[in-house]
Every structure is written in structure tokens, then in C-alpha cells.
Amino acid sequence: MRAWEANIRRVVPYVPGEQPKGENLIKLNTNENPYPPAPEAAQALREMDYDQLRKYPDPAATELTACLADYYGVGRDQVFVGVGSDDVLAMAFLTFFHSQKPILFPDISYSFYKVWAELFGILYETPALDADFAICPEDYYRENGGIVFPNPNAPTGLLMPLEQVENILCHNPDVIVLVDEAYIDFGGRSALELLDRYENLLIVQTFSKARSMAGMRIGFAIGSPLLIRALNDVKYSYNSYTMNLPSLVLGAEAVRNERYFRETLKKITDTRERAKKRFRELGFSFPDSMANFLFVTHEHVPARLIYEALRAKQIYVRYFNQKRLRNYLRITIGTDEEMEALFAFLKEYLAS
Ligand code: PMP
């Protein structure tokens, strides 16, 4: 080994879901929205002044931040935006998890948490989900260096009732509690209403799921002005221009279009509820998801075989070869047509 190799930082990276190329495939593996972004955003893209790209974008993302603040009824000093919620979460880990005590997050949840903790040298412990895949709030009533969990959780889709989120906050006045609400719009009650009472609460959301904009990479955090200021200080110590101009313009336009947002959400949640019934009829069971995906297991057929059979038919779902998850598939809710194609295949496959 050459001497300089010893100085290279070695990390085990997060593995994002596959982005297969080609026509006529059904992509239900990365929890994207099956519907396009708001039509008004397309208009804004067409009207964008190309010459503006010569210049650096607004480092403070003033317009997008203001749109979000107005939409959620908080101060402009309570919103932080970043390049997808991954960027926002990474910044939050770097900013707020800076004690000698381990942070806590569930053993089964968004697998990026562990990667950031390792990258930034943050100690962590991972309390186990219960037998039904639920987070046990009591596991978080102990000394720690910070807390993070998704609500609804991924890949289970299970929603923690807001009372339990508040119980975790009540027991943790001395650390930052990060609630990752990537999927909250699909039927959950956001912790936003707790903000007034807990200055140590940071809520992170994304445009990638409910707002159909995974390709724009926009995420945001809402919290007390003190937390947002701390996040901004770290961001400006790292990269001032995180948000590109098209994201700033289209993101603001998407937030202004409440009606389209609500219509799309309703379509997806209606499809999800119908899908639950269909999966049950086919012999699947699953935690009762409040997200835009279902985490299903079949009574007889191993998940891996179903995953491979679907893949051969160009239907992509997510399979995790990990303890407790091995016999499950995470399936994103697509359009009604995509779900029909999925069920038609499953019906035939399971009968044979
Ligand atoms: N949190 C959770 C729980 C997620 O599942 C995802 C999607 N991979 C993210 C955050 C990050 O999403 P994005 O960076 O696209 O906002």
C-alpha cells in the first residue's frame, strides 16, 4: 500500500435505488411520484431567463424560503432549504449531532442515517423496532446526543401518532430531535404544530415525493430561528450556492400551486388504499402504510423470488437483503394503470 493510501477516508456509501433506463418499464422502486410536477412549474421553466444562468444563484434562496414560510405559516427565519432532504439531513447531522453521547435512530429506518453518522464520526445506537415494525417511543427516553427518525418510517410506511412524537420531545429537552417527514403528506399529521412548544425540534421535508420533483433536488427544514441560523452557518462554511436557479424558480412555483398538489396526493392515497385491498386478496400482508409505498410480504412465496420475477417483466420494486427485511418488498404506489399491470402479473405468477 502506498503511504498516501492510509490517509484516504474509507466509507461504506449509501446505495440509492436503481434508476433503470428504457421504455415500457414500470418503476416502483424509489418512491417517486408517478404524476408530473405542477403544470405551472413547466410554464416557469419555459419562461426562465436563460441569461440568468451566467450568474450565481441567490445563496439565501430568498424566494423559495419565503414561499415555504408563507405556505406553512412560519417565519422566514424558520426555513432552511437544500439539495434534496438528503442534503438538509446531512447538514443537520453535521450541525446538531456534536456531542460525545450517541445519537439514536431506529434499527430499521432510512439507511442513510448510519452512513452520515459514520462519515461525520458521530456515535450512534439503534433501538430495535417492535415485532410489528413500530418504533417504541420509550426506547428514546434516555440520555443521548440527539434523535432522528422518519415519520412515517421507511421502509415500513408506519406512522407514529403525533402524541408519541411529542412524548419523545418531552423526554428530550436537552438534545435536537429531527423528524424526517419525507412522506408526511400522504396521510400523516405533521409535527409542525409542535414547533411553538419545542425549540429543539427540527422537521425535514422534501419535494421529491408528494411534490413530484425528485429530479429538481429540493428539501427543506423548519424549526426555531436559532436552529435555522446554526444550519445556515454550517452551510455557508461548506458551500454557499447549494441550490441552482431552476430549482429555486420551479420549487417556488410548485409551492404556490396548492390545488394541483392536493389533487395528486388524493390520487395516490386513493390508489394506495385500493392497492392494500388487492395485495390482501393475493395473500400479502403489510404494516398499514401512510406513505406512498407498501412494505409487503407474501404468505407462501419468498420476496426474493417475487422481486426477481417482477424484474424479469421490467417491473422494478425495492428488495433489501437485510435481517428482518429479507422477506419483504417495498413497492411504491404508481398510477392506477401501473398498479393494474403489477396486480395482473402477480395474480398470474402466484397462481402458477
Ligand atoms: N428521508 C427518507 C425517509 C427517504 O426515504 C428519502 C428518500 N430516499 C429521503 C429522506 C431523501 O429524499 P430526497 O433527498 O430526495 O429529498
Side-chain angles (χ1 to χ4, degrees):
M1 190 163 90
R2 286 147 297 187
W4 47 263
E5 282 190 66
N7 296 333
I8 294 176
R9 188 188 297 275
R10 310 277 169 188
V11 286
V12 181
Y14 171 75
V15 183
E18 192 180 354
Q19 293 293 343
K21 303 268 180 302
E23 302 287 303
N24 299 323
L25 52 82
I26 298 183
K27 192 171 177 306
L28 307 174
N29 68 331
T30 50
N31 298 343
E32 287 141 338
N33 197 308
Y35 300 106
E40 285 77 3
Q43 183 66 19
L45 183 63
R46 282 191 291 273
E47 287 168 5
M48 237 185 70
D49 182 0
Y50 182 68
D51 180 60
Q52 290 296 314
L53 292 178
R54 273 187 313 108
K55 299 191 286 185
Y56 284 107
D58 172 14
T62 313
E63 194 192 348
L64 177 59
T65 303
C67 273
L68 285 166
D70 294 349
Y71 182 82
Y72 289 104
V74 297
R76 294 177 182 191
D77 56 356
Q78 290 188 271
V79 181
F80 174 86
V81 296
V83 187
S85 53
D86 282 341
D87 180 46
V88 176
L89 287 162
M91 256 340 133
F93 269 58
L94 199 51
T95 310
F96 301 119
F97 297 157
H98 190 52
S99 88
Q100 297 311 310
K101 294 173 196 154
I103 63 164
L104 304 177
F105 52 86
D107 66 339
I108 295 172
S109 81
Y110 187 31
S111 52
F112 224 140
Y113 300 156
K114 183 171 170 237
V115 176
W116 288 315
E118 298 274 352
L119 178 64
F120 300 139
I122 300 163
L123 297 177
Y124 61 93
E125 283 171 17
T126 56
L129 299 186
D130 72 12
D132 300 320
F133 287 110
I135 295 175
C136 310
E138 307 77 38
D139 290 343
Y140 298 80
Y141 302 172
R142 59 176 158 111
E143 224 185 340
N144 63 73
I147 291 173
V148 54
F149 58 90
N151 197 32
N153 196 8
T156 62
L158 271 181
L159 179 76
M160 183 191 289
L162 200 58
E163 300 71 49
Q164 292 185 12
V165 176
E166 180 155 21
N167 283 340
I168 291 179
L169 280 157
C170 278
H171 284 84
N172 286 281
D174 299 332
V175 297
I176 304 299
V177 177
L178 251 172
V179 185
D180 177 356
E181 293 190 337
Y183 302 101
I184 197 71
D185 292 314
F186 298 105
R189 210 168 127 199
S190 170
L192 278 166
E193 59 191 275
L194 304 178
L195 271 181
D196 287 343
R197 297 206 289 287
Y198 300 93
E199 252 190 308
N200 58 327
L201 164 64
L202 191 78
I203 296 158
V204 178
Q205 294 192 8
T206 178
F207 280 50
S208 299
K209 318 292 178 183
R211 292 190 184 275
S212 304
M213 281 194 165
M216 290 310 300
R217 309 303 300 128
I218 306 172
F220 60 97
I222 301 186
S224 56
L226 196 142
L227 297 193
I228 300 304
R229 212 175 312 127
L231 269 174
N232 271 310
D233 286 346
V234 169
K235 171 193 130 165
Y236 283 114
S237 309
Y238 184 78
N239 175 7
S240 321
Y241 304 107
T242 51
M243 308 295 288
N244 66 57
L245 182 65
S247 295
L248 292 173
V249 173
L250 272 63
E253 205 51 53
V255 179
R256 286 191 197 103
N257 204 311
E258 166 87 9
R259 193 181 51 84
Y260 181 83
F261 175 56
R262 295 283 152 211
E263 277 169 15
T264 316
L265 277 179
K266 171 136 182 28
K267 280 200 272 189
I268 295 171
T269 50
D270 285 352
T271 306
R272 178 188 67 205
E273 295 311 307
R274 283 194 292 271
K276 286 179 183 174
K277 191 163 164 283
R278 297 290 292 280
F279 274 117
R280 267 189 220 107
E281 286 164 3
L282 289 167
F284 287 92
S285 57
F286 42 86
D288 191 26
S289 170
M290 277 293 156
N292 67 336
F293 56 83
L294 294 175
F295 187 58
V296 305
T297 187
H298 192 263
E299 56 190 344
H300 305 305
V301 188
R304 169 137 226 154
L305 294 185
I306 303 175
Y307 166 75
E308 281 163 3
L310 285 169
R311 214 185 133 84
K313 285 280 166 202
Q314 299 263 75
I315 302 176
Y316 291 81
V317 301
R318 192 89 195 251
Y319 177 71
F320 302 93
N321 192 8
Q322 277 171 43
K323 202 175 119 198
R324 281 193 78 187
L325 307 186
R326 242 170 230 126
N327 207 22
Y328 284 81
L329 298 173
R330 193 196 69 191
I331 302 181
T332 306
I333 303 300
T335 61
D336 282 327
E337 296 71 41
E338 288 172 324
M339 299 310 279
E340 275 318 312
L342 170 75
F343 292 126
F345 173 77
L346 285 175
K347 195 169 168 200
E348 202 183 301
Y349 172 77
L350 295 168
S352 65

